[in-house]
Amino acid sequence: MLVLLPPSEGKAPSGRGAPLKPESLSLPALADARQAVLDELVDLCAADEEKARDVLGLSEGLRGEVAKNTELRTAGARPAGEIYTGVLYDALDLASLDAAAKRRAARSLLVFSGLWGAVGITDRIPSYRCSMGVKLPGLGALGAYWRTPMASAMPEAAGDGLVLDLRSSAYAAAWKPKGEVADRTATVRVLHAQLVDGVEKRSVVSHFNKATKGRIVRSLLETGAQPKDPAALVEALRDLGHVVEAQAPAKAGKAWALDVIVREIH
């Protein structure tokens, strides 16, 4: 099983250890594309702080993120699972998993990134600021930029098992499963259901959507569940106590769409 995650906007500080070693990152086929983004991002942030802040969409209060990007080649690196923070990663709580679950996480979790394309959670990276929605002056919109290298790298990463896609739309733009990979891909949407004047209304609540996705991944890792396809994933999630509505694709080459229904927000 391969689980595709979005990153977090906020990130933990870089570590104090050795700096980034690009050759050590997962998906080595992305090496040249990563280098190109890294070079342009560092040069942009070093040359013109105001332009960089505008390109990266940073408020005045986040001005320090520009300076942080200038040090990406020399800053200490930490495992990506420690760098990414926020609601989904708080709920996933990788650090508290037992040893077996941590090994499963290392094998199965892949975090998409505007800067790196995608990294494994044990890949050591520095803290950075560069979302998939950024449009760099030289390389253009990163969502579009990553499509070509991802199209080569991701089918191999997906192997022949289930792909559980929990990415947000901005990061899903960088790679869309096709063909037989799509047939064994499931996307997940979390819906909050509540009664309004006696009628059930459903809506997407961003915070709870992220938290629930984190809990789903954690429960799969803890139990060691290894569903082989989307239909088996539906059964596994129901066994774990989730209310799941599944929509199989109308034709081959399309992903399954799963709605996880929640009634209490926490």
Side-chain angles (χ1 to χ4, degrees):
M1 178 173 64
L2 181 66
V3 182
L4 309 182
L5 298 174
S8 57
E9 283 296 315
K11 298 172 183 68
S14 294
R16 295 183 178 180
L20 170 73
K21 295 181 179 178
E23 69 277 7
S24 71
L25 299 180
S26 302
L27 305 181
L30 300 179
D32 289 346
R34 285 172 176 147
Q35 192 63 54
V37 179
L38 178 63
D39 287 346
E40 182 168 355
L41 181 63
V42 171
D43 290 350
L44 169 69
C45 291
D48 188 332
E49 184 180 89
E50 290 305 317
K51 180 178 180 180
R53 194 159 65 85
D54 181 60
V55 169
L56 297 174
L58 300 177
S59 66
E60 175 66 30
L62 294 174
R63 181 181 292 273
E65 299 290 283
V66 176
K68 182 169 69 176
N69 280 349
T70 67
E71 301 173 349
L72 289 173
R73 297 190 183 96
T74 57
R78 299 170 63 181
E82 297 177 11
I83 289 290
Y84 295 116
T85 60
V87 176
L88 188 154
Y89 292 91
D90 286 348
L92 176 53
D93 195 8
L94 289 165
S96 69
L97 292 172
D98 63 32
K102 286 179 179 177
R103 288 193 294 271
R104 296 182 195 111
R107 291 194 302 266
S108 62
L109 304 189
L110 201 61
V111 184
F112 271 60
S113 162
L115 174 54
W116 314 115
V119 292
I121 58 152
T122 59
D123 288 351
R124 298 181 65 84
I125 59 173
S127 185
Y128 67 96
R129 192 74 175 218
C130 184
S131 72
M132 193 66 81
V134 164
K135 184 177 182 180
L136 292 175
L139 297 177
L142 290 176
Y145 170 80
W146 281 112
R147 286 175 197 154
T148 297
M150 285 291 187
S152 299
M154 284 304 300
E156 181 179 354
D160 58 3
L162 170 72
V163 178
L164 173 55
D165 190 352
L166 302 179
R167 297 172 297 166
S168 56
S169 58
Y171 290 89
W175 179 64
K176 183 177 181 180
K178 296 180 179 180
E180 61 89 17
V181 178
D183 293 337
R184 45 189 168 84
T185 297
T187 63
V188 172
R189 179 175 63 166
V190 179
L191 298 177
H192 177 218
Q194 55 185 329
L195 289 178
V196 179
D197 297 328
V199 178
E200 184 177 83
K201 302 289 185 179
R202 295 179 175 182
S203 60
V204 175
V205 181
S206 177
H207 179 100
F208 193 55
N209 172 60
K210 295 174 183 176
T212 301
K213 288 179 177 179
R215 294 187 190 107
I216 285 172
V217 176
R218 182 180 177 87
S219 62
L220 291 170
L221 294 172
E222 286 181 319
T223 59
Q226 289 291 328
K228 299 299 184 183
D229 55 43
L233 173 65
V234 172
E235 294 307 312
L237 293 179
R238 288 172 177 166
D239 288 344
L240 291 168
H242 298 286
V243 177
V244 182
E245 296 178 356
Q247 182 176 340
K251 59 181 180 180
K254 300 291 183 180
W256 283 55
L258 274 55
D259 285 342
V260 176
I261 313 301
V262 294
R263 290 182 168 79
E264 294 183 7
I265 294 182
H266 57 90

